Amino acid sequence: MYLLGVKEGCGEGECGACTVLMNGKPVNSCLVLAVEADGTMIRTIEGESKNGKLNPLQESFKKHHATQCGFCTPGVIMSATSLLERNQNPDEEEIKEAIEGNFCRCTGYRQIIDAIAEAATLLESEVKK
Ligand code: FES
Ligand code: FES
């Protein structure tokens, strides 16, 4: 099975396109040696949907048109996933900080920030149920 979600942009730790979660923390996978990853829990975008169904964060990206060419999207979503697992009520500054290592050349970021903020609200209301 080929996993094609993780993108290689710069290959130098600058763009964040290759972001995955390593033991729950976002890392630029282009800078992680295989030996460093050995024995760690790696999560990529492929693990975020379940049975072909997008998760609430992914749905929110879709709703807000936070994806254009889509090259940055897997990395941005993994950074946002890490944020929302640590902080279910992030303010705009915290969202910007969480994705500051993810370059997006298409969206201007507004839609991405709005998508993450709405997903946070959805997830927070699910927790309160
Ligand atoms: S490919 Fe750009 S940070 Fe890894
Ligand atoms: S959607 Fe194209 S780089 Fe972000």
Side-chain angles (χ1 to χ4, degrees), residues 47-50 53-60 77 81:
E48 299 309 300
S49 59
K50 297 281 178 274
K53 194 167 179 294
L54 300 180
N55 72 20
L57 178 59
Q58 292 169 311
E59 283 290 356
S60 192
I77 287 186
T81 296

Side-chain angles (χ1 to χ4, degrees), residues 54-68 72-81 84 95 99 104 107 109 111-119 122:
L54 300 180
N55 72 20
L57 178 59
Q58 292 169 311
E59 283 290 356
S60 192
F61 267 63
K62 195 170 143 192
K63 176 179 167 190
H64 287 274
H65 305 289
T67 293
Q68 289 183 22
C72 71
T73 309
V76 175
I77 287 186
M78 296 318 290
S79 294
T81 296
L84 297 179
I95 293 173
I99 60 169
C104 177
T107 65
Y109 292 95
Q111 299 96 316
I112 290 175
I113 293 164
D114 290 347
I116 297 169
E118 184 168 304
L122 284 171

Side-chain angles (χ1 to χ4, degrees), residues 3-108:
L3 300 179
L4 303 174
V6 181
K7 304 291 182 255
E8 183 178 8
C10 63
E12 298 178 343
E14 296 292 336
C15 73
C18 65
T19 303
V20 302
L21 302 189
M22 187 166 146
N23 290 336
K25 293 197 178 129
V27 294
N28 292 327
S29 60
C30 67
L31 298 182
V32 178
L33 298 174
V35 69
E36 294 175 292
D38 190 25
T40 65
M41 166 82 80
I42 302 290
R43 279 169 65 191
T44 70
I45 192 71
E46 282 88 354
E48 299 309 300
S49 59
K50 297 281 178 274
N51 301 322
K53 194 167 179 294
L54 300 180
N55 72 20
L57 178 59
Q58 292 169 311
E59 283 290 356
S60 192
F61 267 63
K62 195 170 143 192
K63 176 179 167 190
H64 287 274
H65 305 289
T67 293
Q68 289 183 22
C69 80
F71 199 80
C72 71
T73 309
V76 175
I77 287 186
M78 296 318 290
S79 294
T81 296
S82 171
L83 169 69
L84 297 179
E85 287 179 353
R86 284 180 278 121
N87 176 359
Q88 286 173 347
N89 190 19
D91 61 27
E92 186 158 319
E93 284 311 306
E94 289 168 323
I95 293 173
K96 287 180 182 172
E97 199 175 299
I99 60 169
E100 69 187 1
N102 296 92
F103 292 178
C104 177
R105 298 175 65 177
C106 305
T107 65

